[in-house]
Amino acid sequence: MSEFRIDQITNQTGTGGPNVAGITTFTGSSGLVLPSGSTSGREGAQFGNENIVRDGLYFHIDAKYSYPTKQSPANGGYIRDLAGNNDLSIHGRPTWDSDDGEGSIVFDDSVGDDQQFAQADRIVIDGDLQKFSVTFWYMLTGGTNGGRGGLFERRPRTYYNGWSFGQGGSSNWSFNVSCADDASTNYVYCIFPFPPSRDGTTWYCDSVSVDRTDATVEYRVITPYRNGVDIKGTSGQSYTFNGTVKEPNTMDFEYRKPMCLAGRRDDANPQILPMKFGAVQIYNRILTPEEHLQNFNALKHRFGY
């Protein structure tokens, strides 16, 4: 396959080359392809100048770019999925802080009908999730009295078919995958060290790669990372599992509730966790250790590292 680039054309600032916004790339077998520097529509806003991993990126929220007007969203508005697949509807009027990490989405400690959270319009990735990766930048702001929440895409009642990432218990910060149904409970909890700071002073970047096809032992299903470093087996990290989350058991998307930011939308006891979100990326593949580190390095300057 041959490729022809128009390298001699310049934009209005006099800059030329194949990576300049608006300069196209022609590929013989696939027609017109936008170059990596394009800033048209959501594709351009999806990355900005950040060097995050792009291959397999299926869902992407970045507070720096998700509110282009830099205004607090109104109840009933949306947080844009910059990958263009799945926007999140807003509940309870969370705010946008322009001074925090070059932009953060703030979910306060509110109760009742004013609970602040955002929820996807549909399941982020349809089907039986076998391999995927999740990364998110967050800051806890509710002290030791926070509720339950983080990223939750699971059935809203027992048994909790699906996945969640965040605080599921009073002292439990974990990533969980569950293939439960009405007759059985099959799950793996990957316990993270609980974030030391919960008073709104420290950002964390937690991420995982999930491989439910691994044919060895259950704890290898989930690989945990904090700030780009594999923390498996370190102090405070452990696994709890019951049954198996491998085939033939499934993480049936028909039972999962669309992903919720900051809240745990259980039927019996919905809660929110006071926190700030900086960015969330979900991939439909396994990220390598080097890619987890790349995602941390891409945004660390914005969050105090």
Side-chain angles (χ1 to χ4, degrees):
M1 180 182 70
S2 61
E3 182 176 88
F4 173 66
R5 294 181 181 273
I6 308 178
D7 290 341
Q8 303 305 316
I9 296 178
T10 60
N11 63 13
Q12 292 179 345
T13 67
T15 304
N19 291 327
V20 174
I23 297 180
T24 56
T25 298
F26 290 91
T27 303
S29 63
S30 59
L32 181 64
V33 180
L34 290 176
S36 59
S38 171
T39 56
S40 60
R42 290 194 181 187
E43 192 277 338
Q46 180 180 359
F47 306 110
N49 294 320
E50 322 293 5
N51 185 34
I52 65 169
V53 176
R54 305 186 183 196
D55 181 23
L57 182 59
Y58 200 85
F59 177 87
H60 182 202
I61 287 175
D62 187 323
K64 181 178 179 180
Y65 303 106
S66 287
Y67 297 138
T69 59
K70 304 294 188 291
Q71 295 176 350
S72 300
N75 194 36
Y78 287 88
I79 297 173
R80 295 193 308 156
D81 169 16
L82 300 174
N85 293 320
N86 199 341
D87 291 343
L88 283 80
S89 57
I90 295 167
H91 303 264
R93 299 181 185 273
T95 57
W96 189 89
D97 186 345
S98 62
D99 297 324
D100 195 355
E102 298 183 35
S104 66
I105 304 169
V106 184
F107 297 87
D108 293 328
D109 189 8
S110 51
V111 296
D113 293 336
D114 293 326
Q115 283 189 340
Q116 295 183 358
F117 63 94
Q119 189 147 30
D121 294 338
R122 59 186 183 274
I123 297 298
V124 172
I125 303 177
D126 289 343
D128 181 24
L129 291 175
Q130 292 287 328
K131 297 183 178 183
F132 65 106
S133 301
V134 181
T135 299
F136 79 112
W137 282 90
Y138 65 92
M139 175 190 288
L140 300 184
T141 60
T144 59
N145 296 318
R148 310 287 187 266
L151 302 174
F152 279 66
E153 186 175 85
R154 68 181 197 184
R155 193 178 183 184
R157 59 189 180 278
T158 56
Y159 301 96
Y160 296 111
N161 188 300
W163 62 270
S164 64
F165 202 169
Q167 185 167 353
S170 59
S171 59
N172 177 301
W173 190 264
S174 64
F175 188 92
N176 166 255
V177 293
S178 176
C179 295
D181 56 33
D182 287 332
S184 63
T185 302
N186 303 283
Y187 63 81
V188 176
Y189 276 90
C190 176
I191 310 297
F192 279 67
F194 208 98
S197 173
R198 308 176 219 179
D199 58 0
T201 60
T202 305
W203 284 95
Y204 298 95
C205 176
D206 285 353
S207 59
V208 295
S209 283
V210 180
D211 184 359
R212 292 176 46 230
T213 67
D214 194 310
T216 53
V217 292
E218 285 299 324
Y219 67 78
R220 291 192 59 179
V221 169
I222 305 168
T223 303
Y225 297 81
R226 173 160 288 169
N227 295 340
V229 177
D230 186 342
I231 60 169
K232 182 183 292 184
T234 60
S235 177
Q237 194 282 315
S238 63
Y239 292 87
T240 301
F241 57 88
N242 183 76
T244 181
V245 296
K246 300 169 189 172
E247 293 181 344
N249 291 321
T250 65
M251 194 184 299
D252 195 331
F253 73 96
E254 293 182 358
Y255 290 99
R256 302 202 308 269
K257 199 165 187 173
M259 188 184 68
C260 183
L261 267 68
R264 184 186 75 172
R265 311 311 299 163
D266 287 2
D267 286 348
N269 185 23
Q271 299 186 43
I272 65 109
L273 180 64
M275 64 193 314
K276 297 180 179 181
F277 276 85
V280 178
Q281 293 107 28
I282 299 178
Y283 297 83
N284 58 6
R285 67 176 183 88
I286 300 296
L287 295 187
T288 66
E290 293 77 15
E291 289 173 323
H292 281 280
L293 181 60
Q294 177 181 336
N295 275 351
F296 170 72
N297 286 334
L299 301 184
K300 67 179 182 180
H301 65 285
R302 286 166 46 185
F303 300 108
Y305 292 91

